[in-house]
Amino acid sequence: MSKRSAKIAATYFLTIIISLVLIGGGGYLVINKYLNKTPDKSGIDDIVIDDGASQDAEYAPVFGDGRTILFIYEAEKSQTSTCFLLARFAPADNKAVLVPLQTDIACELDGTANTLYEFYRLGGTSSAKRAVEKFTGLTVDRYLKFTKDSFNTFADFMGNVEYNIPDNLIFQNPSTGESTVIKSGNQILDSNTLRKVMCYPNYSGGEEYRAKVVGNLAAELLNSGSRGILRDSLDSVFTDIINSDIETDITRYDYDEDKPAIEYVLANTSEPAQLVIPSGSYNENGCYQLDDTFVDALPRWFAME
């Protein structure tokens, strides 16, 4: 090979080597910078993570949360020792509407005319529930039937109530031998005295007046509990009541479902109980007939329309 040819070849070879170094080195620097690039953290401290986003939304009551419950109290098997109360829990309005039902309300069921108490006496809780649905036109969702013991448990939880006794209450129960001697005027009633006032058989106003007494005492009792034990120990109250000798179709599932609504009401008012006294008159058979105007107004009072 001539010297000229050798020089050209060397120059060509050197050019190739230099090009590879420059291209390879530059490519390495670009790739390395990309692979090891530090993320831009500017503004990351300004990002706020909402811890509440993963939590349940705050409870807001709606119309469908309402529930209508029939309460029955049977201290013993007699008309004046039995009490009926229809209640509507309406969390959207922060209230529990209480309607005392006197035992001699007239009703016709399955072609038979009788009183609420007689339907209950002959057919039990299911017949009483059907009778109430018939003369009110409302659906009763659940029921609670208290005995003497379970009522005392419930009333003890709620706390004593103050009530103005209209007259001296004096009575000797021929069935149990229990004596009732309660002076008129403002009295602090514990669970035992409360029961005696509710079941006193000789009010001058008869069953109509006794039902009003039951309604007033129930409202005072519920409001008393709402200011104390229900607000602080709701789970304990439910557990102890449901494990007593109470009869009910309310389940633990029902309680868990309604608990947010109950807590909502308790957090927003200390007096949820609102009393509605029925209106009507006695018919020719000596039974109390509810007024049509009262029955027609019940859905409005119950916040159902």
Side-chain angles (χ1 to χ4, degrees):
M1 178 184 294
S2 65
K3 292 182 178 180
R4 179 179 177 81
S5 298
K7 185 177 181 179
I8 292 173
T11 301
Y12 179 73
F13 181 74
L14 182 61
T15 300
I16 292 174
I17 295 298
I18 292 172
S19 297
L20 289 173
V21 170
L22 290 175
I23 293 172
Y28 170 78
L29 291 175
V30 171
I31 293 172
N32 183 64
K33 181 178 180 181
Y34 176 78
L35 293 176
N36 297 287
K37 182 178 179 181
T38 300
D40 183 7
K41 296 184 178 181
S42 62
I44 195 168
D45 293 335
D46 297 330
I47 298 176
V48 178
I49 299 176
D50 183 7
D51 293 333
S54 61
Q55 299 176 357
D56 293 336
E58 183 178 356
Y59 171 78
V62 295
F63 170 79
D65 292 339
R67 202 183 286 273
T68 303
I69 302 173
L70 176 62
F71 290 88
I72 303 172
Y73 174 43
E74 184 183 75
E76 58 183 275
K77 294 189 178 299
S78 69
Q79 183 169 349
T80 55
S81 294
T82 305
C83 309
F84 298 95
L85 183 99
L86 189 64
R88 174 72 179 181
F89 178 57
D93 288 349
N94 286 320
K95 66 182 182 181
V97 183
L98 308 182
V99 180
L101 302 172
Q102 57 198 75
T103 58
D104 54 1
I105 290 179
C107 179
E108 184 174 330
L109 199 61
D110 298 331
T112 300
N114 222 324
T115 64
L116 172 58
Y117 176 74
E118 285 301 308
F119 279 119
Y120 169 70
R121 185 181 68 84
L122 297 171
T125 303
S126 60
S127 290
K129 180 180 176 181
R130 290 180 59 215
V132 171
E133 290 179 329
K134 182 67 180 295
F135 62 66
T136 63
L138 303 175
T139 298
V140 176
D141 300 309
R142 296 288 187 271
Y143 75 89
L144 280 157
K145 177 185 172 182
F146 291 98
T147 63
K148 180 180 177 180
D149 290 340
S150 56
F151 177 79
N152 283 348
T153 300
F154 174 72
D156 286 340
F157 270 123
M158 297 297 103
N160 296 343
V161 299
E162 184 175 357
Y163 188 70
N164 186 18
I165 307 296
D167 302 301
N168 292 328
L169 307 183
I170 302 173
F171 176 66
Q172 183 76 28
N173 191 320
S175 300
T176 64
E178 184 179 54
S179 296
T180 296
V181 180
I182 304 173
K183 291 183 178 181
S184 62
N186 284 331
Q187 301 284 351
I188 302 299
L189 308 179
D190 60 14
S191 58
N192 191 51
T193 311
L194 189 71
R195 172 183 56 81
K196 291 181 178 181
V197 175
M198 290 172 57
C199 298
Y200 183 69
N202 298 327
Y203 287 113
S204 58
E207 283 299 280
E208 184 177 6
Y209 185 82
R210 190 173 74 88
K212 293 177 182 178
V213 172
V214 170
N216 277 286
L217 290 174
E220 290 292 333
L221 200 61
L222 178 56
N223 286 337
S224 174
S226 298
R227 292 187 290 266
I229 188 69
L230 290 180
R231 184 169 297 186
D232 301 330
S233 306
L234 188 60
D235 288 341
S236 296
V237 173
F238 174 80
T239 300
D240 285 1
I241 294 298
I242 213 70
N243 288 332
S244 69
D245 62 353
I246 197 170
E247 178 188 324
T248 183
D249 57 355
I250 295 176
T251 65
R252 182 77 198 194
Y253 175 81
D254 293 327
Y255 170 73
D256 290 338
E257 185 178 42
D258 288 346
K259 183 180 175 181
I262 298 171
E263 291 178 329
Y264 176 88
V265 172
L266 293 174
N268 284 280
T269 179
S270 60
E271 295 188 350
Q274 295 186 12
L275 184 62
V276 174
I277 301 296
S279 61
S281 58
Y282 281 92
N283 61 24
E284 64 277 7
N285 297 318
C287 301
Y288 192 80
Q289 191 76 46
L290 294 176
D291 286 339
D292 290 339
T293 52
F294 168 78
V295 174
D296 292 341
L298 271 177
R300 185 175 70 255
W301 280 322
F302 278 14
M304 299 173 69
E305 61 177 27

